[in-house]
Amino acid sequence: MPFGAGCTACVCLLTPDTLYCSNAGDSRAILVNKAGKVTELSHDHKPDDAGEMKRIKAGGGFVDDGRVQGIIAVSRAIGDWEYKNPSLLAALEAKKTLKKKKTLGDKTAASPTEKKGGPYRNIEEGKKHQVTSFPDIKKVALKPEHDFIIVACDGIWDCFTNE
C-alpha cells in the first residue's frame, strides 16, 4: 500500500511579536524565558485523552492499551491512511483502478472523486478521522523575557519533562 506510513509534526512560526505553534502528534514545543519558566506551546495527542478518545470512537475506532485500534500510539498524525475515513481508501483504490483503465484505453471510466476535487479536501471531515492530521494551534505574544524554543519529537519528551 503506497500510504502505509505516517509521521507527527510540530511547527513554530515566529513573527516580530507573535509565536504560532501547530502540532499534530506526540512531537512537542516549549517556550522558555530567561528565568527558566516554561510555557507549553503544544501537548501530546495520545489516544486515551478524553477528547481524542471521543473522536476515535465516533470515527468507528477503539483504544486498546493506549493505542488506536491497539496499534498506533498517537491520535493525530500525517499519513497513516488506514485510520482515516474509510471512503478515503475506497476513493484511492477507485483512482488506482481508473488509472489502470485509462492506461488500457478505457475512456468511459470516471472516478467518483474527480468531480469533488479529491477525497481529502474537506477539513471538517478530516477532523473526524480516528487519527486526524488536523493540528492544535497555539498563539503566544512574544515578550523581551522570552529566551528560546525547544521543538522535539517523542524520543526526547519520553525521557525529559518540559522543565
Side-chain angles (χ1 to χ4, degrees), residues 25-120:
D26 57 359
S27 297
R28 192 183 317 161
I30 59 172
L31 174 63
V32 184
N33 72 13
K34 292 176 179 155
K37 181 179 179 250
V38 172
T39 300
E40 214 176 64
L41 298 173
S42 66
H43 66 277
D44 300 1
H45 294 115
K46 298 292 188 180
D48 46 10
D49 291 343
E52 299 294 298
M53 187 179 293
K54 182 178 178 182
R55 188 193 68 256
I56 293 163
K57 288 181 178 180
F62 64 90
V63 175
D64 181 32
D65 198 25
R67 295 173 174 268
V68 178
Q69 307 296 79
I71 299 170
I72 187 170
V74 293
S75 54
R76 296 189 189 209
I78 300 166
D80 292 313
W81 297 101
E82 61 269 35
Y83 304 101
K84 307 295 192 228
N85 186 333
S87 64
L88 176 61
L89 288 175
L92 290 171
E93 287 301 318
K95 192 170 188 175
K96 192 187 320 181
T97 302
L98 175 65
K99 188 174 181 179
K100 282 182 185 176
K101 286 182 179 182
K102 284 184 178 179
T103 303
L104 297 173
D106 184 354
K107 306 283 188 212
T108 61
S111 169
T113 60
E114 282 183 354
K115 295 174 189 167
K116 297 183 205 172
Y120 48 85

